Amino acid sequence: MKLTVWTYEGPPHVGAMRVATGMEGLHYVLHAPQGDTYADLLFTMIERRDHRPPVTYTTFQARDLGADTAELFQTACREAYERFRPEAMIVGASCTAELIQDDPAGLAAALRLPIPVVPLELPSYQKKENFGASETFYRLARALADPATAEAPRARPTCNILGATALGFRHRDDVAEVTALLDRLGIAVNVAAPLGARPSDLVRLPAADFNVVLYPEVADTTARWLERTFKQPRTTVVPIGVGATREFVAEVARLAGVDPAPAEAGSRLPWWSRSVDSTYLTGKRVFVFGDATHAVAAARVCADELGFTVVAVGTYDRAFGRDVRAAAERHGAEALVTDDYLEVEEAIARLAPELVLGTQMERHIAKRLAIPCAVISAPVHVQDFPARRSPVMGFEGANVLFDTFVHPLTMGLEEHLLAMFREDFEFSDAAGPSHLTAEAPAAAAPAEPSGDEPICWDGEAERELKKIPFFVRGKARRNAEAYAAQRGLAAISLETLYDAKAHFGR
């Protein structure tokens, strides 16, 4: 076991909370001790929800362990039903309560409540949050889906939208954007779940012609079961970016047997990515890390639609490590599959990218290293639940992505003005970018050579380096340090900088 300050995923019962909190008419009874009762904090503070999450805890204490904790659990179930009158209930144990083996499934079944009660077996010491969300959604679908609804007549092609949950990165806005996209194609949405759905809605899951899998981390297991059981095809393309959205439109149009033309909405991203100022973005070195769905999609947008150079693609979800490694290979980038944020920080410092796209944790890491950063994936903080509509999927999502990726960077005209006023107290290099920190940041550590000691730069060489345009300055620094390392030089002087320029300019 490793102690850590930060974690990318919580235990699996947090994933179950995300499903329960995203739905309506569903209640979660969690066998948990005092101290595991943090759902209110997660959902009301981070997601700005206007009501408490539908979770009831047994909140047993140390003194209860010598008594009947099973009776405590049954009492909590009975009282939760009488107070909230849900359409269905899920029951399970937190990681701590799992150790006392009270069997929540059997205890809940013995109550014979007049609603469906779905037991969750979530191995807290082997699995994590995304697994918990996926397994919870799957168990609910299996328990509630009615095969008879598969024969219901349909006036037009219909689909289910699967995977959105509470605490998901822009899930609310993505569902709205994809629903509008499907509507332009003449495709009706049968059920969107878990987010916004009721248990009674899940009964109708078999009534759709196919399933749209927006977030495979949550929806893939359920979609595969629906495909096997009810012969419903599932989509394989996640519509993040212009290229992927066009592929998604073609895929759903083929599944529904409709014309894809009405969906083309004229995204502004292709025009912006060809604009004059965007030429300054070409070759920008980008480090991408997050859940697999968003990391793979962001890397594709960076490389194919904005002309960035992707230096690393990573994820904390080992279950999707193969997909991330394949994406990294496609972009000629380093693959990073780890849930240790210290490894991520080391990789960012070593690769010295000009932009970091990651989670809330990478935002903190990049701030310490004075590197521009944008958040593209959960885990996220309150600022990533904006009041405005801000999807990352579909054609409007592509516009949002362009702004998200480009705004943290210093653009061409801005760099020109900063160079003109470099001696001004406000715009000097010592002041640092205003969007990164209010204090003067420490200079980014140069890449280390193969020897034991880092190569130093003398003051004259550093001043000359700053005269080089920002979009090639990083490359010039790396070339000079590589040149010095090859020759065993401990410091880079002005002469060394010019020699390296001549060497690599041949």
Side-chain angles (χ1 to χ4, degrees), residues 269-323:
L269 185 145
W271 184 88
W272 284 116
S273 59
R274 293 193 300 269
S275 66
V276 173
D277 215 10
S278 287
T279 60
Y280 290 97
L281 305 175
T282 304
K284 282 287 188 185
R285 303 174 70 255
V286 182
F287 183 102
V288 183
F289 192 88
D291 68 53
T293 295
H294 289 91
V296 170
R300 175 179 175 178
V301 171
C302 287
D304 297 351
E305 299 178 15
L306 294 176
F308 292 163
T309 297
V310 179
V311 297
V313 185
T315 185
Y316 52 80
D317 192 341
R318 297 180 186 277
F320 290 83
R322 181 177 298 178
D323 298 334

Side-chain angles (χ1 to χ4, degrees), residues 120-341:
L120 301 177
E121 297 289 341
L122 304 177
S124 299
Y125 297 95
Q126 291 83 38
K127 301 293 184 178
K128 294 190 177 181
E129 182 178 328
N130 279 340
F131 170 84
S134 175
E135 183 70 7
T136 300
F137 186 36
Y138 168 65
R139 292 297 170 189
L140 283 167
R142 287 203 61 160
L144 300 174
D146 184 357
T149 63
E151 306 304 322
R154 299 188 265 281
R156 59 173 177 161
T158 63
C159 69
N160 299 316
I161 297 179
L162 307 180
T165 69
L167 275 187
F169 182 70
R170 309 291 171 81
H171 285 194
R172 173 199 64 189
D173 298 336
D174 286 347
V175 170
E177 181 67 19
V178 172
T179 299
L181 187 64
L182 293 168
D183 186 63
R184 290 200 295 273
L185 290 169
I187 301 171
V189 175
N190 175 49
V191 176
L195 188 64
R198 305 184 68 88
S200 54
D201 294 326
L202 300 188
V203 172
R204 305 194 319 273
L205 282 174
D209 295 305
F210 63 96
N211 292 304
V212 172
V213 179
L214 288 192
Y215 310 99
E217 288 87 350
V218 176
D220 193 59
T221 301
T222 301
R224 288 177 183 273
W225 175 76
L226 291 168
E227 188 173 40
R228 292 192 307 269
T229 307
F230 302 108
K231 305 298 184 288
Q232 292 175 324
R234 58 190 169 87
T235 59
T236 59
V237 179
V238 177
I240 298 179
V242 172
T245 299
R246 287 173 175 162
E247 291 173 13
F248 172 80
V249 166
E251 184 177 37
V252 297
R254 176 179 55 80
L255 291 173
V258 299
D259 180 10
E264 183 63 53
S267 168
R268 292 185 292 277
L269 185 145
W271 184 88
W272 284 116
S273 59
R274 293 193 300 269
S275 66
V276 173
D277 215 10
S278 287
T279 60
Y280 290 97
L281 305 175
T282 304
K284 282 287 188 185
R285 303 174 70 255
V286 182
F287 183 102
V288 183
F289 192 88
D291 68 53
T293 295
H294 289 91
V296 170
R300 175 179 175 178
V301 171
C302 287
D304 297 351
E305 299 178 15
L306 294 176
F308 292 163
T309 297
V310 179
V311 297
V313 185
T315 185
Y316 52 80
D317 192 341
R318 297 180 186 277
F320 290 83
R322 181 177 298 178
D323 298 334
V324 168
R325 290 188 181 96
E329 183 177 2
R330 173 177 177 259
H331 298 300
E334 181 176 317
L336 184 64
V337 180
T338 180
D339 58 1
D340 186 342
Y341 67 91

Side-chain angles (χ1 to χ4, degrees), residues 278-492:
S278 287
T279 60
Y280 290 97
L281 305 175
T282 304
K284 282 287 188 185
R285 303 174 70 255
V286 182
F287 183 102
V288 183
F289 192 88
D291 68 53
T293 295
H294 289 91
V296 170
R300 175 179 175 178
V301 171
C302 287
D304 297 351
E305 299 178 15
L306 294 176
F308 292 163
T309 297
V310 179
V311 297
V313 185
T315 185
Y316 52 80
D317 192 341
R318 297 180 186 277
F320 290 83
R322 181 177 298 178
D323 298 334
V324 168
R325 290 188 181 96
E329 183 177 2
R330 173 177 177 259
H331 298 300
E334 181 176 317
L336 184 64
V337 180
T338 180
D339 58 1
D340 186 342
Y341 67 91
L342 294 176
E343 288 185 29
V344 179
E345 182 168 10
E346 185 279 328
I348 293 174
R350 172 170 48 81
L351 293 169
E354 291 153 287
L355 175 66
V356 173
L357 302 177
T359 72
Q360 173 70 11
M361 296 194 204
E362 282 66 53
R363 173 189 277 144
H364 291 303
I365 292 168
K367 188 171 184 178
R368 284 199 301 275
L369 297 174
I371 301 173
C373 178
V375 172
I376 61 162
S377 162
V380 292
H381 198 35
V382 63
Q383 61 261 55
D384 297 302
F385 289 94
R388 69 187 184 281
R389 186 178 171 209
S390 187
V392 295
M393 291 189 179
F395 291 114
E396 183 58 28
N399 295 330
V400 172
L401 287 181
F402 178 84
D403 291 339
T404 300
F405 293 5
V406 170
H407 286 175
L409 296 168
T410 303
M411 301 294 285
L413 178 59
E414 184 181 0
E415 174 66 18
H416 175 67
L417 292 172
L418 289 174
M420 285 178 61
F421 297 99
R422 189 172 297 281
E423 302 307 318
D424 187 282
F425 76 94
E426 186 177 358
F427 297 105
S428 69
D429 285 325
S434 60
H435 65 281
L436 292 178
T437 178
E439 301 174 0
E448 294 190 7
S450 56
D452 294 331
E453 296 296 327
I455 293 179
C456 299
W457 288 66
D458 68 25
E460 192 176 17
E462 279 280 11
R463 286 191 293 274
E464 188 68 16
L465 182 68
K466 290 174 182 176
K467 296 178 182 179
I468 298 174
F470 79 100
F471 46 88
V472 292
R473 192 180 300 154
K475 184 176 182 181
R477 178 184 285 275
R478 291 190 296 275
N479 284 350
E481 290 172 353
Y483 179 85
Q486 291 169 6
R487 285 154 180 77
L489 302 177
I492 295 176

